[in-house]
Structure formats: C-alpha cells, structure tokens
Amino acid sequence: MAKDTVELPLIGREATVVADSIDHEERTIDVVWTTGATVQRYRWEGWDVVEYDEELEVSEQAIRLDRLNGGAPFLNSHRSWGLESVLGNVVPGSVRIEGGKGTAKIRLTSASDAQAVVQRILERTINKVSVGYRVHRYDIQAADKKGERDVYRAVDWEPYEISAVAMPADPGANIRSEGGKELRNSFACVLHRQGETAAAAAMEKGTTMSNPNKPAAGQPAGRAGAEGLENRSQQPAPAAPEAPAPAPAPEARETPEQIAQRVMAEERKRTSDISTLCQRHGLDREFENELVRSGASIDQARAKVLDHLADADPLEGRSYEPAAGQVRGETAADIAFRDGLNSALMHRINPGVNKLSDDGRQFRGLSLVEIARDNLERRGISTRGMSKMEVASQIFGRAAGYHSTSDFPMILANVANQTLRAQYDATPRTFQAWARRETITDFKPVTRTQLSGAPDLEKVLESGEFQYGTMGESKEVYALATYGKIIGFTRQMLINDDLGAFTRVTQAFGSRAADLEGDIVYAILMQNAAMGDGVALFHADHGNLGTAAVIGEASMTAARRAYAQQTGIEGQAISVSPSYILVPPGQRELEAKKLLTSTTPSSTSDVNAYANTLEVVSERRLIPESGQDPWFLSSAPGSIDTVEYAYLDGNDGVFTETRMGFEVDGLEIKARHDFAAKAIDWRGLYKNPGAAPA
C-alpha cells in the first residue's frame, strides 16, 4: 500500500432473510445481502462533519466475492472477537449477483452454545441480517448544486461477513476497529443501516479521498489510485485543493474522539426522542423509522407527527386536554372500541355482575380470534387469507412497547387485571379486624417503637418546680418483601377461545395474593418468634401465656387478669384489655360462642358474665399440625400495638404488569405483591395453648 493511503473501515448495511426460505431440516436460510441502495453517510473535513451519499455498484466486476463465497462467517451482531459469536457460515459457492441484488445461502450451526439465537432465526423471531463490507475504491461525483450531497459510488468493494442482528437501526452501535485502531468518526445515523456510517471518515492528517471525476495530472479521467485513497501531495487534484491541516487544538478544544462521542450521543438522543414521541401518540413503526431516516430534528418530528395525526383524524390536530383515562393520541373511535371490548369481555366472564354496554354489543358472539382480526384491521393490517395461527401471531407479534391502550392485547391485560383485583378484594381476610394497617414508602427496614406510656404525674408543691419525665422505649424492626408470579395468555388459548381458563387463573392469583397476607400474619401467632428483647412473643416473662384450658369462665377470667397485670417498659401499670378472641374452626369456636352468647338465666348462677364482651374471629390457619387447638385474645389495634401489616405506598394489594411474550408465545402478565407483617408489642396479645374438653 502506498504511503499515506488511508484504509477504509468496515461498513454495514441492513439485509433481509428471504421469505419462506427457511429449511429446518438442513438448517439453512437464504438472504438478500445487498441491493446497492443509496445510503446517507458522514465524513470529516477538518473539524466539520460533511454529509455525502454512498452507492454500491452491484456487479461481479465491482464486488470481490472470494471471501464471501469461500464460506465467510455468519456472526451474532457483527461480533468478530470470539468464536462463540459464530452462528454458522455462508454455504460455499451459494453467493449470486443477479438483477442488482446479492444473495447467499446460510447454514446455521448446531452447536449448543448458539441454539438460543439459532432457534429464534428458525422461528423467524429474528429476521434481519446485516452485511459487513470494506470499500477499496470509490468513484466520487461532486454535487452540482449547493445543498446537495456528493455521491461516493463504491466500484471496488468486498463483503467480509453476514450477521444476524436484532435492530439494524441501532444508532451509534457497532463502532468497529481493525488492529485495535478505533475509527473515531463512525456514526450510525440512518435507520436500517448497520455498523460504521462514515466510509471515508478516518482521514489522517494530510490525506483525503481522490476524486476520479476530477483526475490528477497524468491520470485518465474516471479512474482513481489502486487503493482509492491517496495523498494529494502525490496526486494533486486541481479542482479540489488540499485542505490545510487544522491548527493544533488548545487544551480546552475537543479531540476528534470527544467530538465523535458527542455527535453519536446527540444522534442516539434524537432517535430516542422521536421513538418516544411516536409511541406516545400510538403511531406505527414505519412512520417512526421514516422520521429517523429523514434526519428530522425533534422539533421537525413534532410538527410532522401533528400533521400526521390531523390527516388521520381532524380532531387529533386540535389542542385539548384528554379526559380522565384517555391517552394522548387516542381518537374517540379508539376509546369507544377499547371501552366496548372491555365491557364485552367482562360480560362474557360474569354476565350476572357485568352489564354489557352499548359499545360492547358489537362484539357479542364473536370469538377471540374474530375480535383479534377486527383489531388488526383497525390498525391497518390486512388479515385476508390469514389462518387463525397467523392472526394470533400478528396480534401478539407486534413490537413490545408499541401497543396502544386500544389494542387487543392491552385490553386483554386490563381484563385480567380487573378480574385478578376483584377476586383479591373479595377474598376474606380475618386479620384486618384486629391487626393494624400501615403504608411503607420503600423496601428499607423500618423501626417501630413500643411506647411505655407517659411517666407518672408527681405532686407539685407550692412554689415548686415541675419535674422532667422520660419515655422508655423498645424497638421492633421489619421490612417489605416482594412476592410474585407470571401468567400467560398464549396463542393457543386465543385460538381455542379459552378466555374462561385465563380468567380462572387470574382469579386464582387474586385469591392467592389475599391468602398470602393471611398466611404471613397468622404465622406470627403460630410460630411464636422472638421479639426485639430476645423473648418469644408468647412467654411467661411477657405475662401473656396462659395455662392450657378450654374456653370457659375460669380460663377467660385468668386471661383478663393477665391483661390487668401488664405493665409498661418502665414498670408502671397500663390500661389494656382484650376486644377479640381468635379461634380455629371447630371445638374452640363452639366454646367461644357459647361463652359470649347472651342468655336468659333462671338464677344468678346461670348468668353469662362474658356475654357480648368479645368479638369472635374464626380462622382456619390457627389449626395446629398436631395437639390441641390453641386460642388467642387481642386488644383493639387503636388501643395498643399488636400485629402491624404493611403495603408499599401506592401499591396497596396485588399489582400487575404486562409485556408481550418472552417466556411464553403470547401475552405475559406479572402479578406482584409487596407485603410484610410484624408483631410490634406483646402486651395486647394473649395465648392459651388449649386443652381437651373434660
């Protein structure tokens, strides 16, 4: 290579898998790896970034096919630094140049470490590929008018590899290097273009690209040097004088690497802002891609979005605040469709409770597949000729995050959330009567203080001074925990019209979330763990553990006396009494109700002294695994601390999140529950181990 010649970087372009070309038995796919389309690129001139267009000549004379046709690698996202990135190879001899297109056959590996990616290719979840190539020579056509871009036509270029990629349009991704030398000014700025976007951007000081349309002295017109990039001092081009080398930058001036990073960061932000803007208004992916491809600024994108919305629905172009529950970008028809379908599905689940709305009558009698087909048509996707499985794939296959609230999967998720929450609210929780509810703002441990009560008041003598008192305290510490599970609505359930099975699962999840709370709270009583003082919750040292007995006058009298003898932390007497008796179903429940039921006595000996003094709470979780049934007393939660249960602030009860299928081929709904409970003070609780009836 001649001195000062610049080696061009590896460049990437999007390519596609040919439809219906997948051979599962042979593990092969056909790809179109180039069409030679014009792509907008960038290069440096001094400190300025200059735009130009790159075209590829697609002919056997222009493309060096030896490397590709000899079995070039098929990589994972252009990763060439590890053998584990190889997903297969180009089948030798399969490369063809026909009709302005380059095609090839890829054979996928059967190696175990690549099967996750290979499987997604075979099932068409991954259907984009990108070709990496190097340009050896350009023919450059200077722009005729100001504001137009120069055209760099690659007349000698060489494909190196083909890669499977998730998003060929990832701005700034895959900045590649050769021999450890980063190509500082490679920016990905055009959607659906992969890898470096500056084919001639790595210009060294004193070098530039020769222009074959403006030949150097002694060189025939239309031809460039052997490598395509040469020093102008060796082959001067009169029409394009050599750009002077930039003056040394002061210390505060950005380096080329810093400029490249800043420009790429700005481009990533522009693309991200446009994507967020389009998602907010429910616009399709193709419109979003076109905005990014056009190079529109975020302000220009906003104007085009407003114009697009106005063209789709004149009301959308007006300035207004959406009504409660309405998402910006939704039309009145979208809202009617969403609310009507939601009403129809809820009515189908439980006709006796959920009344069918007028908007919902249009969906009466339709199967889930028919509803999905209607939703796709509303979104501009033709379903003519689609099988049920294809409709299911389409409705669940749209890019995650691009569903609007009036799309069928989101409505289905809302129905699941409603049924789950309704069942959660309907499931009884007996601990709510006697335990105290709290809200916690985060997952850090929280400290609850036991107050001993105010100190005794002392007599103040005439002209005497008031004395200061102190408040003793003891602490209990606990923290929220998260519980959850993922449930899925699959394509098979949609095709089988099995909405009932899905809602039964969500209802079961709602019940289980409520049951979980009871399990946690009553385990505190049954497990009798140690408190902050190191002594078990129910213990003789705490004065709240009785002698085993059935529920009767004698045992109740002993229990009430134990309450009366409780003292605060500093030893002073406190006023505390029971309000609830907690019993397992069966014998203990019968004994409690007999003791507390008011009767008409025939003599004073028959008077029921404890009639109506306590509220009976019957709870199955108090049935022990062995031995006699215990029974418990609890004070009212407003008089003294007993057991405290807590939810995360803003997420009272079970909470759901939705995403399109990752682990399942359909819709996934995650039920999450943040909950905790802890005994705060033993003085309001009492236990009797129970005994067999005499």
Side-chain angles (χ1 to χ4, degrees), residues 15-197:
T16 58
V17 178
V18 178
D20 301 324
S21 70
I22 298 177
D23 188 332
H24 291 267
E25 293 183 0
E26 295 296 326
R27 303 174 71 83
T28 61
I29 58 174
D30 293 338
V31 298
V32 176
W33 50 270
T34 184
T35 60
T38 300
V39 177
Q40 183 180 345
R41 304 291 196 190
Y42 296 82
R43 65 180 174 84
W44 288 94
E45 280 190 2
W47 293 97
D48 297 322
V49 177
V50 178
E51 300 179 356
Y52 67 96
D53 289 337
E54 182 200 62
E55 294 179 353
L56 300 179
E57 180 177 328
V58 183
S59 67
E60 292 184 353
Q61 294 74 26
I63 308 175
R64 304 184 186 186
L65 296 175
D66 292 345
R67 186 188 297 266
L68 200 64
N69 223 349
F74 183 59
L75 303 178
N76 182 352
S77 305
H78 295 287
R79 299 171 186 164
S80 59
W81 54 86
L83 298 179
E84 67 277 6
S85 300
V86 178
L87 303 177
N89 67 284
V90 177
V91 176
S94 68
V95 180
R96 298 287 184 272
I97 304 296
E98 298 175 346
K101 295 182 180 180
T103 62
K105 184 180 292 292
I106 304 294
R107 176 169 287 109
L108 301 172
T109 181
S110 60
S112 58
D113 61 346
Q115 288 313 294
V117 178
V118 170
Q119 178 59 31
R120 291 180 179 177
I121 296 172
L122 293 176
E123 67 185 13
R124 302 184 185 181
T125 304
I126 297 175
N127 58 9
K128 294 293 183 183
V129 296
S130 175
V131 60
Y133 61 97
R134 186 183 301 281
V135 177
H136 297 284
R137 184 164 63 89
Y138 281 109
D139 282 343
I140 305 175
Q141 180 179 352
D144 295 328
K145 297 180 181 179
K146 185 177 181 180
E148 295 181 348
R149 293 187 290 268
D150 293 347
V151 177
Y152 287 69
R153 182 171 178 80
V155 296
D156 183 5
W157 58 285
E158 182 178 14
Y160 273 52
E161 49 85 16
I162 301 174
S163 288
V165 291
M167 291 186 66
D170 187 5
N174 301 306
I175 298 179
R176 306 177 67 79
S177 62
E178 184 173 7
K181 182 176 180 180
E182 294 272 343
L183 299 174
R184 298 188 297 268
N185 44 356
S186 294
F187 324 116
C189 297
V190 182
L191 272 179
H192 299 300
R193 304 292 185 255
Q194 179 71 24
E196 281 81 13
T197 60

Side-chain angles (χ1 to χ4, degrees), residues 404-427:
S404 73
T405 56
S406 57
D407 275 347
F408 179 62
M410 297 299 99
I411 296 172
L412 189 64
N414 185 54
V415 168
N417 182 55
Q418 290 183 65
T419 56
L420 186 150
R421 184 68 196 217
Q423 189 64 33
Y424 167 80
D425 292 336
T427 303

Side-chain angles (χ1 to χ4, degrees), residues 206-414:
T207 63
T208 184
M209 300 182 69
S210 62
N211 190 333
N213 297 314
K214 299 177 181 179
Q219 182 179 0
R223 298 186 58 84
E227 296 296 332
L229 295 175
E230 301 199 6
N231 192 304
R232 288 186 181 269
S233 63
Q234 296 181 13
Q235 297 195 19
E242 179 182 356
E251 291 185 2
R253 196 168 187 177
E254 288 182 301
T255 66
E257 290 83 355
Q258 291 172 331
I259 294 176
Q261 292 173 3
R262 174 173 54 78
V263 174
M264 286 189 291
E266 291 172 355
E267 176 59 23
R268 284 195 294 269
K269 185 177 186 304
R270 182 186 76 91
T271 304
S272 176
D273 289 346
I274 291 176
S275 178
T276 301
L277 178 66
C278 291
Q279 291 179 43
R280 184 184 306 155
H281 291 281
L283 301 179
D284 58 48
R285 188 68 178 274
E286 182 56 36
F287 181 79
E288 175 192 329
N289 291 347
E290 182 58 35
L291 286 179
V292 179
R293 277 196 298 265
S294 68
S297 67
I298 185 62
D299 290 334
Q300 293 170 333
R302 288 193 184 99
K304 291 183 179 181
V305 166
L306 289 176
D307 291 341
H308 183 80
L309 294 175
D311 292 340
D313 183 351
L315 293 178
E316 286 294 320
R318 301 178 186 175
S319 176
Y320 73 100
E321 286 298 321
Q326 180 178 348
V327 179
R328 287 187 179 272
E330 283 190 319
T331 65
D334 289 333
I335 298 170
F337 176 86
R338 179 193 66 198
D339 294 344
L341 181 51
N342 187 80
S343 172
L345 294 177
M346 293 300 294
H347 176 76
R348 179 172 168 178
I349 294 168
N350 193 340
V353 175
N354 303 308
K355 183 180 178 181
L356 185 63
S357 68
D358 291 338
D359 288 332
R361 295 186 187 280
Q362 61 181 308
F363 303 107
R364 178 178 248 170
L366 295 182
S367 68
L368 295 179
V369 171
E370 290 170 332
I371 293 173
R373 192 183 296 273
D374 179 70
N375 185 242
L376 290 172
E377 294 285 352
R378 284 173 48 82
R379 292 298 168 193
I381 301 174
S382 176
T383 62
R384 179 174 297 179
M386 281 190 184
S387 66
K388 290 183 178 181
M389 184 60 73
E390 290 171 331
V391 169
S393 298
Q394 280 286 337
I395 202 69
F396 289 132
R398 297 183 64 195
Y402 288 89
H403 286 284
S404 73
T405 56
S406 57
D407 275 347
F408 179 62
M410 297 299 99
I411 296 172
L412 189 64
N414 185 54

Side-chain angles (χ1 to χ4, degrees), residues 573-626:
I574 58 174
S575 297
V576 58
S577 61
S579 297
Y580 300 92
I581 181 168
L582 317 179
V583 295
Q587 181 64 33
R588 294 290 173 257
E589 182 179 8
L590 178 63
E591 294 167 355
K593 289 183 176 180
K594 283 185 176 181
L595 178 66
L596 301 174
T597 299
S598 178
T599 60
T600 302
S602 58
S603 63
T604 56
S605 61
D606 296 331
V607 172
N608 190 347
Y610 292 109
N612 302 320
T613 58
L614 299 173
E615 181 178 335
V616 178
V617 176
S618 178
E619 174 54 55
R620 62 174 177 79
R621 295 174 180 85
L622 297 180
I623 300 175
E625 294 182 359
S626 61

